[in-house]
Amino acid sequence: MHISSPISRRWFAGVVLSAMSAVAMAQAAKPHVVVLATGGTIAGAGASAANSATYAAAKVPVDKLLAGLPELSSVAKVSGEQVFQIASESFTNEHLLKLGQRVSALSKQADVDGIVITHGTDTLEETAYFLNLVVHTNKPIVVVGSMRPGTALSADGALNLYDAVSVAASKDATGKGVLVTMNDEIQSGRDVSKTINIKTEAFKSQWGPLGMVVEGKNYWFRAPVKRHTMNSEFNIDDIKTLPAVDIVYGYGNMNTTAINAYGKAGVKALVHAGTGNGSVAAQAVDSLKALRAEGVQIVRSARVPDGFVLRNAEQPDDKYDWVVAHDLRPQKARILAMVALTKTNDSKELQRIFWEY
């Protein structure tokens, strides 16, 4: 198109500038979501598209993850930070603290509306629960991963990430605690667990999802009732270290080698992942009682995937001064025990905390 007169040229330039300004204003009006990348399968790569289960995790940086999903720009103004680049089985307490501190700092920024954490699936549920306990904000925090690397046929990471950003940008996700979006479901970070290692529908809660996210729209069906985020008595801003808490597994013909070793190592609490209703083998009871007498907190949990541990049912918890984990699986009971011990070492207070969180 040829524009000859100066007036026409000025008019055309004005139209172009107005259009560009409108686009910029529209983008600025969108919620700002920060994606904190930590590695995992969602950042993984396989040798070929046929490799859905054999691949290297934590290879793709956050800028490439976001650049590969241009549809995000229609949902929110998205920026990314590479916090870690590791497989999540290698997450340590130090990683939890650093990530929690960064999430807390971002949540205080007026120009941040929501936060997404990309994470490996192996310990995703533990990180989500930790953040649920210690970050004081009503802003949406969403943890997301994938079961297949982005290089695989039918990779699930792109849609999971799109859903996570969409949920984090949603006003109706406010105040619901830390969420996990996987396979179109919106799960509570407290309740959800990885239940299978090779299917995309890997993350489930025995109490069901909070809702679904379909084509960028949230559909809610229930709300969390346990204390979390803004209603938590724990605050990452006040936590500098986490005490040593470990897990010992119950099984047939169990011996006390691990219990004794953890005691000598100086644990502050020991989570017993018992059979059935958190049962403890007869030959292990005295060793656990001895640790409790030395000041180590004993948390009785269950290795079964669903249900909850009843106090004073399989063991006289009142008599032994033990704590029961309620419906928390052993790995989440460990997270809560660590956080709770930053406030108290009183067993009755710890039991209250396990009921409330």
Side-chain angles (χ1 to χ4, degrees):
M1 180 175 62
H2 178 66
I3 301 174
S4 56
S5 73
I7 294 176
S8 297
R9 284 196 295 270
R10 286 196 297 272
W11 173 83
F12 182 73
V15 170
V16 171
L17 287 172
S18 296
M20 292 174 63
S21 177
V23 170
M25 289 177 64
Q27 185 64 21
K30 287 186 172 67
H32 179 203
V33 174
V34 179
V35 176
L36 299 179
T38 69
T41 299
I42 197 168
S48 78
N51 292 124
S52 63
T54 306
Y55 54 86
K59 293 297 181 183
V60 183
V62 65
D63 55 343
K64 289 190 176 180
L65 277 180
L66 298 180
L69 200 53
E71 293 82 359
L72 291 176
S73 63
S74 66
V75 176
K77 175 187 174 184
V78 181
S79 56
E81 294 181 19
Q82 193 75 50
V83 186
F84 315 118
Q85 187 67 295
I86 59 174
S88 71
E89 67 269 22
S90 299
F91 248 69
T92 64
N93 289 352
E94 288 69 31
H95 289 113
L96 286 176
L97 290 170
K98 182 177 179 180
L99 180 61
Q101 290 157 3
R102 185 60 186 138
V103 172
S104 178
L106 283 170
S107 72
K108 294 180 175 69
Q109 292 184 201
D111 64 340
V112 174
D113 299 292
I115 301 166
V116 169
I117 298 103
T118 62
H119 200 290
T121 58
D122 281 358
T123 60
L124 184 152
E125 66 203 73
E126 295 168 54
T127 297
Y129 187 41
F130 176 75
L131 296 174
N132 196 60
L133 293 170
V134 302
V135 177
H136 276 222
T137 185
N138 279 328
K139 293 179 181 180
I141 300 172
V142 183
V143 188
V144 65
S146 72
M147 294 302 296
R148 296 170 180 165
T151 53
L153 294 169
S154 294
D156 56 326
L159 182 56
N160 286 348
L161 180 54
Y162 178 85
D163 286 345
V165 171
S166 174
V167 172
S170 304
K171 289 184 178 180
D172 61 6
T174 298
K176 291 183 170 63
V178 175
L179 306 170
V180 173
T181 59
M182 300 277 289
N183 202 45
D184 300 330
E185 294 182 336
I186 307 172
Q187 298 277 1
S188 163
R190 178 199 184 271
D191 299 340
V192 76
S193 289
K194 185 176 181 179
T195 61
I196 193 168
N197 65 334
I198 53 172
K199 290 185 177 180
T200 56
E201 55 176 347
F203 281 75
K204 297 291 182 183
S205 160
Q206 66 171 320
W207 312 122
L210 300 182
M212 300 278 293
V213 52
V214 181
E215 295 182 350
K217 181 174 174 56
N218 304 331
Y219 299 86
W220 301 98
F221 301 105
R222 71 179 183 94
V225 296
K226 300 292 186 178
R227 292 176 65 179
H228 61 76
T229 53
M230 284 299 291
N231 294 320
S232 174
E233 65 202 83
F234 312 107
N235 191 329
I236 187 64
D237 297 342
D238 302 324
I239 301 174
K240 306 307 176 188
T241 60
L242 291 168
V245 178
D246 283 293
I247 302 170
V248 64
Y249 203 77
Y251 54 93
N253 199 44
M254 180 184 181
N255 60 55
T256 61
T257 302
I259 296 173
N260 297 333
Y262 282 129
K264 290 178 182 177
V267 294
K268 302 304 179 185
L270 188 62
V271 177
H272 179 272
T275 54
N277 186 16
S279 302
V280 180
Q283 62 269 28
V285 170
D286 286 343
S287 292
L288 292 174
K289 287 169 62 180
L291 280 189
R292 182 70 196 99
E294 294 172 6
V296 178
Q297 296 291 344
I298 305 301
V299 180
R300 193 165 62 83
S301 69
R303 71 182 200 184
V304 297
D306 293 334
F308 53 94
V309 177
L310 295 169
R311 188 169 177 85
N312 296 314
E314 292 294 336
Q315 293 293 328
D317 299 298
D318 289 347
K319 178 181 177 182
Y320 294 163
D321 198 26
W322 291 353
V323 175
V324 298
H326 195 32
D327 65 329
L328 294 177
R329 300 285 70 79
Q331 61 272 25
K332 288 195 174 182
R334 173 185 169 271
I335 294 291
L336 182 54
M338 286 195 303
V339 171
L341 284 169
T342 65
K343 283 273 190 178
T344 182
N345 194 38
D346 181 83
S347 61
K348 290 183 174 58
E349 271 294 282
L350 291 175
Q351 187 62 78
R352 172 191 65 79
I353 288 167
F354 270 88
W355 293 141
E356 293 182 7
Y357 292 85

